[in-house]
Amino acid sequence: MKVKITATTLFLAVQTIFLNAQTADSTQTETLKQVEVKAYRFPIEELKQLENVHQTYLLSGRKNEVINVQDLPANIAEKSGRQIFAKIPGSFIYDMDGSGNQINMATRGLDPHRSWEYNVRQNGIMTNSDIYAYPASHYSPAMESVQKIEIIRGTGSLQYGSQFGGMINYVTKKADPSKPFGFESINTVGSFGLLSSYNAIGGTKGKFSYYAYYQRRVSDGYRDNARSDAQSQFVSLNYAFSKKLNVKTELGRSQYIYQMPGALTDALFNQNPRQSTRTRNYFNPDIYLPSVTLDWKINPTLKLNWSTSAVLGSRNSVQIIGFADAKDEIDPTTLKYKPRQVDIDNFNSYSTEVRLQKEYAIGQLQNTAVAGIRYVNNDLHRRQLVKGTTGTDFDLSITDPNFGRDVHLKTQNVAAFVENLFKITPKLQATVGARLENGTSKMSGIISYLSSEKVPQDIVHHYPLFGASAQYQLNERNKIYGGWSQAYRPVVFSDIIPASVLERTDPEMKDAFGHNFEIGVKGNLSDRLTYDFNFFQILYKNRVGTLVLTDAAGQSYIWRTNIGDTKTNGVEMYAEYKILEKTTHRVSIFSATSFFDGKYLNGKIRDGNENKDLTGNKLETVPTWISRNGLQLGYRQFAAILQFSYVSESFSDALNTETPSANGAKGIVPAYEIWDLNMSYRINGNYLLKFGVNNLTDNQYFTKRPTGYPGQGVWNSDGRSLVLTFGIKF
């Protein structure tokens, strides 16, 4: 990007003028010629970290990363996770929801399904659909709207939640403070019928600023019957009453309809990975995210942040349920398809959170305390197992008014936390904190295959959680950091609802509980090498699964309960080296590589009609190695990145089944490697041109064999595709 002046060139220019003035005769005047100084800012940056005190969060000693999305040469329109999170070591990307519909990401061997092991936020507002019933984040805004992504690992979780993964905060673009009106349009075309258009306006007038966008994206999909139609809207209104008091209100919405092509067996995948086993299955989340946030600098040492928000909307699906080898065909006697199953979730999640930050001194050293309280009131209404139409389009019409499941899970939860950052010496800092989670989830309603007295269930969430972290500044550029923090994951709706009359749920089922631990070193060696190396451990107790038991009458039944404990040890490494850096060009390389050793410490699980011991088995969906590496080039306004990604094989189930089953539901997920090439060219700061080739070698691969949605079996990822983007901004 071209800029007219930088701090360095400004300093040199002023210094030259000053020296000339000293040598000139004091009575002599001289008219200087106008000089325009040009320099270039390369859009491909090294991975950044947040400051020790970021807004009302204490991050000293906690592993965190910041991704600058705005200038990233990546496939933004389709939210290509492996490109966006390329420099985040250990980021596992689960491709299942079609072109650009959803990001499914996890780190440190956790479950990537809709990023539900993370506390997911937009501008600090939580987007998880229902943190105590269905913690997935169905809200999926346009990635073109995101300025940067802030990622805080699990050792900082006392401040924002209790999730094992940590927090992901998508920070949206803001209004230009220098003009009353601005406009941006980013338009993308690509392979497989991809068309995407993002259009935004924003500006500032006095104390008032605004920003709004509308985005629409359609795609036929890589596979047959995999069409997507997505849209998102957002408006942000900000009023600064003074330099100390600011109020912001925002409303975001995301919605898409994805035609799900169905899972494949291994044989079908090897035969033709683009084929489809379903033509009538659809998925449709429609989520609204309203919020109001107040920031008040009460005095020079005391700040208050108060936000009130909601997650409202629905998660709808219409589909034929069955394994990949079960065909969906027209009945020769009725000349019609079978009726599809309709499932509808309605989210009504409300929360309010107050956070206070206090600066104070002990001797000559400044310390920071942060405290807060969050109240959550959720009501998830789940209606499932009802007959839909025999048609082929997206249609939630039902032919039977009685749902097989019609239940509510209502939760009220109050969580309070306090943390303090102590500066022990100018080089040594330590943070200690505690969080108290206190609430109850209550299930009520009708499940057709259970008697009414077996449906109600209450789950108490009462946990005191503790944590501590520290960092030591080795020198101006390098530091050692580490921390430990407790975490828990509440028992969710899918855990407590029996799948059939043969299944029973343990009324004493416990929330998953454990800890995060990490220790590492990060910084810069010379001006060329940036690095972050760390060791981590996640202890995850009380995983949920099923056992086969026998009742007093001698009848066997499936018992859904806590089945065992797991532990994941690992190493994460990020390094970036500038091979060449001049005023107009730069060449650099990077690597983000992780090693995982995830195992069951104990436990048993159902296998057919018997229970098998899990002790020592590897964790499912946890590859041993994930490595992403890139060669980056920058010349004036041009930038390019050639990226190589490698993910080693993993097991799809806790029993570590190696040979794929005939229906594709179990078996090894083979290792895969992918090459991507992305380029960008910015013209006069107002025009942007991007070109990308995803999966250069057209490798056919899949990332996971899901055990539930969207269907058991092989869900392969996209082959080679081309993407072209043109942007304009003024």
Side-chain angles (χ1 to χ4, degrees), residues 488-522:
Y488 88 101
R489 184 180 188 273
V491 172
V492 299
F493 227 150
S494 59
D495 296 331
I496 61 176
I497 295 181
S500 70
V501 68
L502 300 175
E503 190 169 298
R504 305 179 191 178
T505 300
D506 182 357
E508 303 298 324
M509 191 183 301
K510 300 176 182 178
D511 294 327
F513 183 83
H515 69 236
N516 275 278
F517 170 77
E518 65 190 13
I519 184 169
V521 58
K522 62 183 177 182

Side-chain angles (χ1 to χ4, degrees), residues 119-188:
N119 188 296
V120 184
R121 301 196 174 207
Q122 176 180 272
N123 298 332
I125 301 301
M126 193 163 60
T127 70
N128 302 74
S129 299
D130 188 325
I131 204 71
Y132 298 104
Y134 195 177
S137 182
H138 296 94
Y139 179 72
S140 184
M143 191 56 63
E144 292 95 330
S145 73
V146 177
Q147 176 78 28
K148 61 182 178 179
I149 303 173
E150 300 170 344
I151 303 173
I152 305 171
R153 301 305 176 96
T155 53
S157 64
L158 300 183
Q159 301 174 74
Y160 48 78
S162 56
Q163 284 78 4
F164 280 90
M167 180 175 76
I168 300 176
N169 185 31
Y170 294 91
V171 181
T172 63
K173 297 174 181 177
K174 294 178 175 57
D176 189 329
S178 65
K179 54 188 177 183
F181 180 80
F183 173 74
E184 181 179 28
S185 181
I186 303 174
N187 301 280
T188 301

Side-chain angles (χ1 to χ4, degrees), residues 342-525:
V342 173
D343 296 331
I344 300 172
D345 284 348
N346 294 116
F347 302 111
N348 299 278
S349 302
Y350 301 89
S351 65
T352 186
E353 184 175 17
V354 179
R355 305 172 64 87
L356 278 170
Q357 176 185 319
K358 174 65 177 177
E359 305 284 346
Y360 67 97
I362 298 179
Q364 299 296 316
L365 299 176
Q366 196 73 18
N367 300 274
T368 306
V370 175
I373 187 168
R374 185 184 72 188
Y375 172 72
V376 174
N377 189 319
N378 296 342
D379 180 6
L380 172 55
H381 185 195
R382 170 160 285 185
R383 291 170 291 167
Q384 297 178 319
L385 303 181
V386 70
K387 283 186 179 181
T389 69
T390 59
T392 60
D393 59 347
F394 175 64
D395 186 356
L396 294 176
S397 302
I398 58 176
T399 58
D400 183 344
N402 299 312
F403 285 84
R405 302 188 192 115
D406 190 344
V407 291
H408 286 264
L409 191 69
K410 297 181 179 181
T411 300
Q412 287 189 332
N413 189 276
V414 177
F417 80 93
V418 60
E419 285 207 329
N420 199 101
L421 169 60
F422 296 99
K423 293 186 179 178
I424 301 171
T425 72
K427 291 187 175 183
L428 178 62
Q429 301 179 5
T431 304
V432 294
R435 184 181 184 90
L436 179 62
E437 291 272 348
N438 189 26
T440 303
S441 297
K442 298 183 178 183
M443 186 175 76
S444 61
I446 297 171
I447 298 178
S448 61
Y449 46 83
L450 294 180
S451 58
S452 58
E453 69 273 7
K454 291 185 178 180
V455 176
Q457 190 164 162
D458 292 356
I459 305 170
V460 176
H461 311 287
H462 180 70
Y463 282 102
L465 305 170
F466 302 95
S469 64
Q471 74 175 34
Y472 181 77
Q473 199 76 34
L474 295 170
N475 51 46
E476 186 179 345
R477 295 185 172 189
N478 302 278
K479 64 182 70 173
I480 298 174
Y481 66 93
W484 171 88
S485 182
Q486 292 176 305
Y488 88 101
R489 184 180 188 273
V491 172
V492 299
F493 227 150
S494 59
D495 296 331
I496 61 176
I497 295 181
S500 70
V501 68
L502 300 175
E503 190 169 298
R504 305 179 191 178
T505 300
D506 182 357
E508 303 298 324
M509 191 183 301
K510 300 176 182 178
D511 294 327
F513 183 83
H515 69 236
N516 275 278
F517 170 77
E518 65 190 13
I519 184 169
V521 58
K522 62 183 177 182
N524 299 278
L525 299 178

